[in-house]
Amino acid sequence: MERHEAVEWLGETERARNRTRVVSRRVWFPLLLFGVITMGTVPLYPGGPLNGVSSSRSYVGAFFVSHPERLSLYWLLASAGGYLATALYFWWQDRRSGVAIRWQPFVIVGVALYALLIAVSPEGLSLIGLPWRISPWFHVGDLFIRGLTPILTIALGLLVLAAFQRSVSFAAYSLGFVGLALLVNLYDLGNITYRMGLGDHGVGANVVTAGGALLLGGVGFAVAARRRG
Amino acid sequence: MSHPAQDLDEVVHQRNRLAILAILGEAHKAEFTFLRESLDLTGGNLSRHLQVLEDAGLIHIEKGYEGRRPRTWARITREGRRALSRELRTLKAVVRSLEGSPALSERS
């Protein structure tokens, strides 16, 4: 084989790969959808510093939310709808474009983590016949205080999707988002802004930041896919 | 020392079959029509290449129906991924080994 031939073949292979990548780029959809879903919870979280403890609790935690049942119901219905819409969109795109991507793990991991979240709540444990008193064993540290665990389930689902996408940029984004989800769940951005002298903007600030990151990511990946297409 | 071109695999070392593997390497699976249009091949030609790759265990073919429409999907196997990266490595080695050779400089 001659050099010019090898160069030509390598070029053709790269072009074929690029064409396929362009056609199969559709991660913007779940990012935008879950960004909108997350932003929809903003009115349900307190906007100022945390004070008082709610008398009732929910599977998402949310000890400081005045109506945790509403928050739980919203997250449950919106997430179920979000995963269903994502599955339908990816399924339709697979058939329309003729290039299928591995999207199923995103939906499976998201739904499984969500089911686990509900199962280890006091109500969930009662439902499956286990004493609710063991629920603190599962509710590790600060993870459940702010009621932001659904954001962590979205982040871990995206990380799994990235593992199957073979896209460095999406993998980097997903890792960053998992970091943000852990930060808002375990530390609270309010603590950071307070230390910086910018005041405590409450749990709502965490939700706006996470939702904003999802929306921005969705727009960014959609624009990138359009440009390359 | 042997020339890197001696490591080329006969099954993969064919323009269209290499491109098929490259496309399948980027997706979970690809449909027959997408492959045919992307590679600008006739249906019969593509079928023959897919058959060669499947016989070598480099891809897996799924045939089915969507409504009344027949659909054929191809998926790369683990061995197929290995063969693809081997071939690409060898091609790059060929390019490197012949870099700066006078005959090639004349050609370019």
PDB file of all heavy atoms in Angstrom, chain B residues 92-107:
ATOM      1  N   LYS B  92      -2.003   4.351   9.834  1.00  0.00           N
ATOM      2  CA  LYS B  92      -1.203   5.487  10.337  1.00  0.00           C
ATOM      3  C   LYS B  92       0.283   5.121  10.327  1.00  0.00           C
ATOM      4  O   LYS B  92       1.133   5.959  10.021  1.00  0.00           O
ATOM      5  CB  LYS B  92      -1.657   5.872  11.746  1.00  0.00           C
ATOM      6  CG  LYS B  92      -2.962   6.663  11.729  1.00  0.00           C
ATOM      7  CD  LYS B  92      -3.494   6.903  13.118  1.00  0.00           C
ATOM      8  CE  LYS B  92      -4.899   7.459  13.044  1.00  0.00           C
ATOM      9  NZ  LYS B  92      -5.620   7.375  14.309  1.00  0.00           N
ATOM     10  N   ALA B  93       0.573   3.852  10.651  1.00  0.00           N
ATOM     11  CA  ALA B  93       1.977   3.398  10.639  1.00  0.00           C
ATOM     12  C   ALA B  93       2.534   3.422   9.219  1.00  0.00           C
ATOM     13  O   ALA B  93       3.699   3.780   9.007  1.00  0.00           O
ATOM     14  CB  ALA B  93       2.075   2.002  11.225  1.00  0.00           C
ATOM     15  N   VAL B  94       1.684   3.054   8.238  1.00  0.00           N
ATOM     16  CA  VAL B  94       2.107   3.085   6.827  1.00  0.00           C
ATOM     17  C   VAL B  94       2.451   4.521   6.443  1.00  0.00           C
ATOM     18  O   VAL B  94       3.490   4.799   5.847  1.00  0.00           O
ATOM     19  CB  VAL B  94       0.991   2.521   5.901  1.00  0.00           C
ATOM     20  CG1 VAL B  94       1.295   2.819   4.442  1.00  0.00           C
ATOM     21  CG2 VAL B  94       0.828   1.026   6.118  1.00  0.00           C
ATOM     22  N   VAL B  95       1.585   5.449   6.836  1.00  0.00           N
ATOM     23  CA  VAL B  95       1.806   6.875   6.520  1.00  0.00           C
ATOM     24  C   VAL B  95       3.126   7.341   7.138  1.00  0.00           C
ATOM     25  O   VAL B  95       3.942   7.978   6.482  1.00  0.00           O
ATOM     26  CB  VAL B  95       0.624   7.748   7.026  1.00  0.00           C
ATOM     27  CG1 VAL B  95       0.936   9.232   6.874  1.00  0.00           C
ATOM     28  CG2 VAL B  95      -0.652   7.398   6.279  1.00  0.00           C
ATOM     29  N   ARG B  96       3.319   6.968   8.414  1.00  0.00           N
ATOM     30  CA  ARG B  96       4.537   7.405   9.119  1.00  0.00           C
ATOM     31  C   ARG B  96       5.788   6.796   8.498  1.00  0.00           C
ATOM     32  O   ARG B  96       6.787   7.470   8.293  1.00  0.00           O
ATOM     33  CB  ARG B  96       4.469   7.007  10.597  1.00  0.00           C
ATOM     34  CG  ARG B  96       3.755   8.024  11.465  1.00  0.00           C
ATOM     35  CD  ARG B  96       4.077   7.798  12.932  1.00  0.00           C
ATOM     36  NE  ARG B  96       3.798   6.431  13.335  1.00  0.00           N
ATOM     37  CZ  ARG B  96       2.607   6.003  13.760  1.00  0.00           C
ATOM     38  NH1 ARG B  96       1.596   6.853  13.833  1.00  0.00           N
ATOM     39  NH2 ARG B  96       2.413   4.750  14.116  1.00  0.00           N
ATOM     40  N   SER B  97       5.696   5.489   8.166  1.00  0.00           N
ATOM     41  CA  SER B  97       6.895   4.792   7.669  1.00  0.00           C
ATOM     42  C   SER B  97       7.333   5.317   6.307  1.00  0.00           C
ATOM     43  O   SER B  97       8.496   5.230   5.956  1.00  0.00           O
ATOM     44  CB  SER B  97       6.653   3.291   7.605  1.00  0.00           C
ATOM     45  OG  SER B  97       5.766   3.005   6.545  1.00  0.00           O
ATOM     46  N   LEU B  98       6.374   5.829   5.522  1.00  0.00           N
ATOM     47  CA  LEU B  98       6.734   6.300   4.185  1.00  0.00           C
ATOM     48  C   LEU B  98       6.895   7.818   4.119  1.00  0.00           C
ATOM     49  O   LEU B  98       7.099   8.377   3.055  1.00  0.00           O
ATOM     50  CB  LEU B  98       5.667   5.855   3.168  1.00  0.00           C
ATOM     51  CG  LEU B  98       5.517   4.336   2.999  1.00  0.00           C
ATOM     52  CD1 LEU B  98       4.376   4.016   2.069  1.00  0.00           C
ATOM     53  CD2 LEU B  98       6.807   3.745   2.457  1.00  0.00           C
ATOM     54  N   GLU B  99       6.763   8.465   5.278  1.00  0.00           N
ATOM     55  CA  GLU B  99       6.878   9.913   5.322  1.00  0.00           C
ATOM     56  C   GLU B  99       8.278  10.352   4.873  1.00  0.00           C
ATOM     57  O   GLU B  99       9.268   9.777   5.324  1.00  0.00           O
ATOM     58  CB  GLU B  99       6.608  10.444   6.727  1.00  0.00           C
ATOM     59  CG  GLU B  99       5.677  11.614   6.731  1.00  0.00           C
ATOM     60  CD  GLU B  99       4.864  11.694   8.027  1.00  0.00           C
ATOM     61  OE1 GLU B  99       5.271  11.086   9.019  1.00  0.00           O
ATOM     62  OE2 GLU B  99       3.847  12.373   8.006  1.00  0.00           O
ATOM     63  N   GLY B 100       8.314  11.323   3.971  1.00  0.00           N
ATOM     64  CA  GLY B 100       9.599  11.861   3.542  1.00  0.00           C
ATOM     65  C   GLY B 100      10.341  11.000   2.548  1.00  0.00           C
ATOM     66  O   GLY B 100      11.469  11.317   2.175  1.00  0.00           O
ATOM     67  N   SER B 101       9.724   9.877   2.109  1.00  0.00           N
ATOM     68  CA  SER B 101      10.435   9.056   1.105  1.00  0.00           C
ATOM     69  C   SER B 101      10.456   9.803  -0.231  1.00  0.00           C
ATOM     70  O   SER B 101       9.459  10.417  -0.603  1.00  0.00           O
ATOM     71  CB  SER B 101       9.777   7.689   0.961  1.00  0.00           C
ATOM     72  OG  SER B 101       8.701   7.786   0.073  1.00  0.00           O
ATOM     73  N   PRO B 102      11.593   9.778  -0.966  1.00  0.00           N
ATOM     74  CA  PRO B 102      11.735  10.579  -2.186  1.00  0.00           C
ATOM     75  C   PRO B 102      10.649  10.272  -3.212  1.00  0.00           C
ATOM     76  O   PRO B 102      10.095  11.172  -3.827  1.00  0.00           O
ATOM     77  CB  PRO B 102      13.108  10.179  -2.724  1.00  0.00           C
ATOM     78  CG  PRO B 102      13.785   9.395  -1.661  1.00  0.00           C
ATOM     79  CD  PRO B 102      12.773   8.936  -0.706  1.00  0.00           C
ATOM     80  N   ALA B 103      10.314   8.978  -3.364  1.00  0.00           N
ATOM     81  CA  ALA B 103       9.319   8.601  -4.366  1.00  0.00           C
ATOM     82  C   ALA B 103       7.993   9.291  -4.088  1.00  0.00           C
ATOM     83  O   ALA B 103       7.328   9.771  -5.001  1.00  0.00           O
ATOM     84  CB  ALA B 103       9.120   7.104  -4.349  1.00  0.00           C
ATOM     85  N   LEU B 104       7.692   9.372  -2.812  1.00  0.00           N
ATOM     86  CA  LEU B 104       6.410   9.976  -2.450  1.00  0.00           C
ATOM     87  C   LEU B 104       6.439  11.478  -2.626  1.00  0.00           C
ATOM     88  O   LEU B 104       5.462  12.085  -3.032  1.00  0.00           O
ATOM     89  CB  LEU B 104       6.066   9.638  -1.003  1.00  0.00           C
ATOM     90  CG  LEU B 104       5.597   8.201  -0.832  1.00  0.00           C
ATOM     91  CD1 LEU B 104       5.694   7.781   0.612  1.00  0.00           C
ATOM     92  CD2 LEU B 104       4.173   8.071  -1.332  1.00  0.00           C
ATOM     93  N   SER B 105       7.576  12.080  -2.311  1.00  0.00           N
ATOM     94  CA  SER B 105       7.692  13.529  -2.473  1.00  0.00           C
ATOM     95  C   SER B 105       7.450  13.898  -3.942  1.00  0.00           C
ATOM     96  O   SER B 105       6.780  14.869  -4.245  1.00  0.00           O
ATOM     97  CB  SER B 105       9.061  14.018  -2.033  1.00  0.00           C
ATOM     98  OG  SER B 105       9.303  13.579  -0.731  1.00  0.00           O
ATOM     99  N   GLU B 106       8.005  13.053  -4.832  1.00  0.00           N
ATOM    100  CA  GLU B 106       7.808  13.316  -6.266  1.00  0.00           C
ATOM    101  C   GLU B 106       6.334  13.241  -6.638  1.00  0.00           C
ATOM    102  O   GLU B 106       5.785  14.035  -7.348  1.00  0.00           O
ATOM    103  CB  GLU B 106       8.571  12.264  -7.093  1.00  0.00           C
ATOM    104  CG  GLU B 106      10.036  12.558  -7.247  1.00  0.00           C
ATOM    105  CD  GLU B 106      10.794  11.348  -7.744  1.00  0.00           C
ATOM    106  OE1 GLU B 106      10.206  10.520  -8.458  1.00  0.00           O
ATOM    107  OE2 GLU B 106      11.984  11.238  -7.390  1.00  0.00           O
ATOM    108  N   ARG B 107       5.673  12.194  -6.034  1.00  0.00           N
ATOM    109  CA  ARG B 107       4.272  11.961  -6.348  1.00  0.00           C
ATOM    110  C   ARG B 107       3.404  13.147  -5.922  1.00  0.00           C
ATOM    111  O   ARG B 107       2.519  13.590  -6.599  1.00  0.00           O
ATOM    112  CB  ARG B 107       3.786  10.703  -5.676  1.00  0.00           C
ATOM    113  CG  ARG B 107       2.476  10.186  -6.228  1.00  0.00           C
ATOM    114  CD  ARG B 107       2.065   8.905  -5.592  1.00  0.00           C
ATOM    115  NE  ARG B 107       2.840   7.775  -6.039  1.00  0.00           N
ATOM    116  CZ  ARG B 107       3.658   7.075  -5.288  1.00  0.00           C
ATOM    117  NH1 ARG B 107       3.803   7.410  -4.020  1.00  0.00           N
ATOM    118  NH2 ARG B 107       4.335   6.084  -5.758  1.00  0.00           N
TER     119      ARG B 107
END
